[in-house]
Amino acid sequence: MKALTVLPLTAGSARLDDIDEPAAADGPVLVETLAVGVCGTDIEITSGAYGWPPPGRERLVLGHESLGRVLEAPAGASVTAGDLVVGIVRRPDPVPCGNCAVGEWDFCHNGQYTERGIKQRDGYCSERYRIEADFVVKIDPALGRCGVLLEPTSVVAKAWEQVDRIGGRAHWAPQRVVVTGAGPIGLLAALIAVQRGLEVHVLDQVTSGPKPDLVAALGASYHTGTIEDLGVGPDVVIECTGVSSLVFDAMEHIGPNGVVCLTGVSSSGRSLAVDAGLLNRTLVLANQSIVGSVNANRRHYEAAAATLAKADHGWLERLVSRTVPLEKFGDALVRQPDDVKVVIEINP
Ligand SMILES: [Zn+2]
């Protein structure tokens, strides 16, 4: 079968390979892949900056944002042939650490977890894959191709859970939310906020292209200014850019008892002048919290499936701004100015 593979840590090594059918050891559920989303991590892997092959192998099958249809499943499994499904990315470490032992592998403590399409396990960008029944999530069939958005939605479902848990330390009735960055993660974080009935402001730099319209269509406000420009400090900031200046802007302008959740990954080596004394003083005197959040466990995938099921499917379809057939995968790995979410189609 065809698969998109890379030689990790080698730029420009992505190619279409003919590989063996999925190994039985990967799990009893056989899935026909329909679509694989491309994100910043995939671009990092194909640019040679990131990624680990499976043990004893040189190449890694790419792809961790997936959508597929079950071809075979064992009797009694949570999925059956014909179901639309998404594969969970991370697997618990073999030790396992305390978190992995209870299914909280997104909080893996020793870093020995593996991830499909990223770290020591083949990804989903092949015509078929096999998977363990506990690591496949069924989605509403009405979602169709939009189901490929489940994995990025799981990341923000987790982020919102962190915000809820911190906010819940006292009376918590947030009203105003700022999301920084109108890429797929920011837009999906805003979708959850809108579904909760919150006042949602999305900040980004662009003034044209699909992002301002997508924010407006959601019922949120689009801004190109700063958090400070909004006036009253927000109760929640979901930071989705990893841009250092925005991260500190969020910390400095969060409202009383507010929570800043950081989801963007920055590159290191950038310095910024910060009044650390003032920042500390404000955080303490206003009970503010800063929390980082990465990855997702099964609970977050299921929350994300519910979020997508009740979203406007037309809006979700607009988030998938470009689809590329597997044979032209190279086009999907090069960013274009109006891209929101780019998806590789398989078995169309
Ligand atoms: Zn662990």
Side-chain angles (χ1 to χ4, degrees), residues 244-262:
S244 316
S245 56
L246 281 173
V247 169
F248 278 90
D249 201 33
M251 292 181 191
E252 284 170 15
H253 296 104
I254 186 79
N257 310 319
V259 182
V260 177
C261 184
L262 306 176

Side-chain angles (χ1 to χ4, degrees), residues 89-115 119-120 135 158 162 292-297 299-300:
V89 178
R90 194 173 283 192
R91 296 294 177 278
D93 79 77
V95 175
C97 75
N99 290 310
C100 285
V102 296
E104 308 257 9
W105 54 73
D106 52 319
F107 278 89
C108 180
H109 201 71
N110 62 25
Q112 294 177 42
Y113 61 83
T114 53
E115 288 178 333
K119 188 169 181 271
Q120 299 167 323
F135 287 88
K158 175 182 171 181
Q162 308 315 301
S293 181
V294 70
N295 195 252
N297 66 42
R299 181 173 71 248
H300 308 124

Side-chain angles (χ1 to χ4, degrees), residues 248 251-252 272-284:
F248 278 90
M251 292 181 191
E252 284 170 15
L272 200 67
V274 174
D275 184 340
L278 179 65
L279 185 58
N280 174 71
R281 180 188 165 84
T282 317
L283 288 171
V284 170

Side-chain angles (χ1 to χ4, degrees), residues 1-344:
M1 63 172 179
K2 281 182 280 189
L4 176 55
T5 73
V6 294
L7 193 59
L9 308 183
T10 308
S13 64
R15 72 179 188 213
L16 216 49
D17 272 341
D18 197 8
I19 66 167
D20 291 341
E21 287 292 321
D26 288 350
V29 180
L30 178 66
V31 180
E32 172 188 50
T33 314
L34 300 175
V36 168
V38 175
C39 78
T41 301
D42 299 303
I43 306 277
E44 271 194 278
I45 293 172
T46 56
S47 71
Y50 202 67
W52 296 259
R57 294 242 315 271
E58 287 196 329
R59 298 188 74 87
L60 169 77
V61 175
L62 195 68
H64 58 278
E65 297 183 6
S66 69
L67 171 69
R69 184 177 287 114
V70 174
L71 294 174
E72 293 171 22
S78 57
V79 293
T80 53
D83 285 346
L84 280 186
V85 293
V86 171
I88 290 175
V89 178
R90 194 173 283 192
R91 296 294 177 278
D93 79 77
V95 175
C97 75
N99 290 310
C100 285
V102 296
E104 308 257 9
W105 54 73
D106 52 319
F107 278 89
C108 180
H109 201 71
N110 62 25
Q112 294 177 42
Y113 61 83
T114 53
E115 288 178 333
R116 292 200 68 156
I118 302 172
K119 188 169 181 271
Q120 299 167 323
R121 277 181 193 263
D122 279 335
Y124 299 119
C125 202
S126 52
E127 290 182 278
R128 285 167 291 285
Y129 65 85
R130 281 191 172 273
I131 189 164
E132 314 88 325
D134 289 346
F135 287 88
V136 71
V137 179
K138 185 176 166 177
I139 60 159
D140 182 349
L143 279 169
R145 299 262 160 176
C146 300
V148 76
L149 297 168
L150 187 71
E151 194 278 339
T153 309
S154 75
V155 169
V156 287
K158 175 182 171 181
W160 270 108
E161 186 189 83
Q162 308 315 301
V163 170
D164 290 340
R165 289 185 174 192
I166 295 166
R169 65 202 158 147
H171 170 72
W172 180 239
Q175 294 184 334
R176 178 176 289 206
V177 177
V178 169
V179 176
T180 49
I185 291 289
L187 289 166
L188 291 166
L191 168 66
I192 293 176
V194 168
Q195 286 187 350
R196 291 168 167 221
L198 302 171
E199 178 190 321
V200 185
H201 301 269
V202 180
L203 266 60
D204 200 298
Q205 292 178 310
V206 299
T207 52
S208 60
K211 290 175 179 177
D213 288 345
L214 279 165
V215 171
L218 201 53
S221 308
Y222 185 85
H223 306 267
T224 52
T226 65
I227 298 174
E228 195 174 12
D229 293 341
L230 296 174
V232 182
D235 303 302
V236 177
V237 176
I238 309 283
E239 207 297 307
C240 304
T241 70
V243 174
S244 316
S245 56
L246 281 173
V247 169
F248 278 90
D249 201 33
M251 292 181 191
E252 284 170 15
H253 296 104
I254 186 79
N257 310 319
V259 182
V260 177
C261 184
L262 306 176
T263 68
V265 181
S266 329
S267 42
S268 57
R270 286 179 199 167
S271 302
L272 200 67
V274 174
D275 184 340
L278 179 65
L279 185 58
N280 174 71
R281 180 188 165 84
T282 317
L283 288 171
V284 170
L285 294 180
N287 292 297
Q288 293 157 335
S289 307
I290 319 293
V291 61
S293 181
V294 70
N295 195 252
N297 66 42
R298 186 170 184 104
R299 181 173 71 248
H300 308 124
Y301 278 79
E302 284 170 356
T307 291
L308 292 184
K310 66 184 173 189
D312 175 348
H313 294 180
W315 185 82
L316 295 175
E317 276 166 24
R318 289 169 64 192
L319 230 59
V320 179
S321 55
R322 198 155 59 89
T323 55
V324 173
L326 180 59
E327 291 70 25
K328 294 192 173 177
F329 68 88
D331 294 347
L333 299 173
V334 178
R335 284 210 168 103
Q336 292 181 9
D338 284 349
D339 281 347
V340 183
K341 174 56 70 184
V342 178
V343 166
I344 297 173

